[in-house]
Amino acid sequence: MKKTVVLLGGALLLAACGNDNGLSKSAVQKAVDASAKSHAVCVPFALSVEDRKEGDYPVLGAPVVKLVKRKDNGKRANLAAIKQMEILTDAGIYHREKEERVGSGDEAVRYLVYKITQKGTDKFRAGVGELLMCIGSEKAEKVNYFTTPTPSNGVTVSQVSFEAKPQVERWAQKLLKDSPFYEGLKRTETRHATLVKTNKGWIDIMELRNN
């Protein structure tokens, strides 16, 4: 997930209250665009695993995911989960490793093995009791309104309301097309932000707090 990192040659200075406090709609749009891009869109997602052996617990986001390749009757197993892992492999989030064989003779079990990449590690973060998969960021669709810049605690601020919509990466669109999250990813949501005037222009105050 691309994160906003502010690297400046010097310190980021908050503009003192003065007379040059005009705020244009284009400046607001630029600020909320940057703010929205820094918001990761993350969802819980579980692989559609149908066939597993005792002790198996393949979890998306884990360093290694192993899927049973064949059912006991010899037919291919975990077709849906394998298709999902192929999408993630094509996206560079997991890498297909050498198959593993556990046991011997008729009791042997073959596993398809996938190892997470550095890119993949960056796509997952801890949620409440489960891992969340980050599938994109937000895009500011339009500015609803912004208030007249006013002084507050020695700086100049403006309150902004805007509409934001998820910008989902292509691999995630494929992966989630049959999930309950898919339709929700098409909707816009109203967001609010406090913009603060700095020597580098207007930015979301949360960016100051996070950097």
Side-chain angles (χ1 to χ4, degrees), residues 8-190:
L8 304 177
L12 183 66
L13 304 177
L14 297 178
C17 299
N19 296 324
D20 186 22
N21 290 334
L23 178 59
S24 65
K25 187 171 183 178
S26 61
V28 172
Q29 186 69 55
K30 180 179 179 180
V32 296
D33 281 345
S35 175
K37 287 179 181 178
S38 70
H39 295 166
V41 177
C42 307
V43 299
F45 185 81
L47 289 170
S48 302
V49 179
E50 298 176 339
D51 305 286
R52 68 185 76 199
K53 298 297 181 180
E54 185 176 355
D56 290 351
Y57 191 60
V59 178
L60 199 57
V64 177
V65 172
K66 298 181 181 181
L67 298 175
V68 173
K69 184 178 180 180
R70 297 283 178 182
K71 300 175 183 285
D72 292 338
N73 60 10
K75 293 183 178 181
R76 290 188 299 167
N78 293 314
L79 296 179
I82 291 172
K83 183 177 180 181
Q84 291 168 336
M85 291 306 302
E86 287 175 349
I87 293 172
L88 294 170
T89 299
D90 291 342
I93 295 170
Y94 273 86
H95 181 265
R96 176 80 175 270
E97 300 287 307
K98 184 179 179 180
E99 292 183 16
E100 288 186 7
R101 178 187 174 104
V102 178
S104 60
D106 294 338
E107 301 299 319
V109 179
R110 290 186 178 276
Y111 288 93
L112 298 177
V113 182
Y114 305 86
K115 184 178 180 180
I116 201 166
T117 64
Q118 183 56 56
K119 177 181 177 180
T121 300
D122 295 339
K123 294 293 183 184
F124 295 92
R125 60 181 59 179
V128 180
E130 61 186 337
L131 285 174
L132 298 178
M133 180 175 66
C134 297
I135 58 175
S137 60
E138 289 189 331
K139 178 182 179 182
E141 293 285 290
K142 70 171 183 176
V143 174
N144 295 323
Y145 65 81
F146 57 94
T147 62
T148 300
T150 56
S152 176
N153 296 320
V155 297
T156 303
V157 299
S158 174
Q159 303 299 323
V160 181
S161 169
F162 63 99
E163 301 299 313
K165 185 177 181 179
Q167 292 292 103
V168 182
E169 296 181 43
R170 288 190 177 184
W171 63 266
Q173 293 178 28
K174 294 178 182 178
L175 192 66
L176 298 173
K177 67 179 181 179
D178 296 323
S179 80
F181 298 107
Y182 190 72
E183 290 302 318
L185 295 173
K186 299 178 182 179
R187 295 197 295 264
T188 60
E189 297 285 343
T190 301

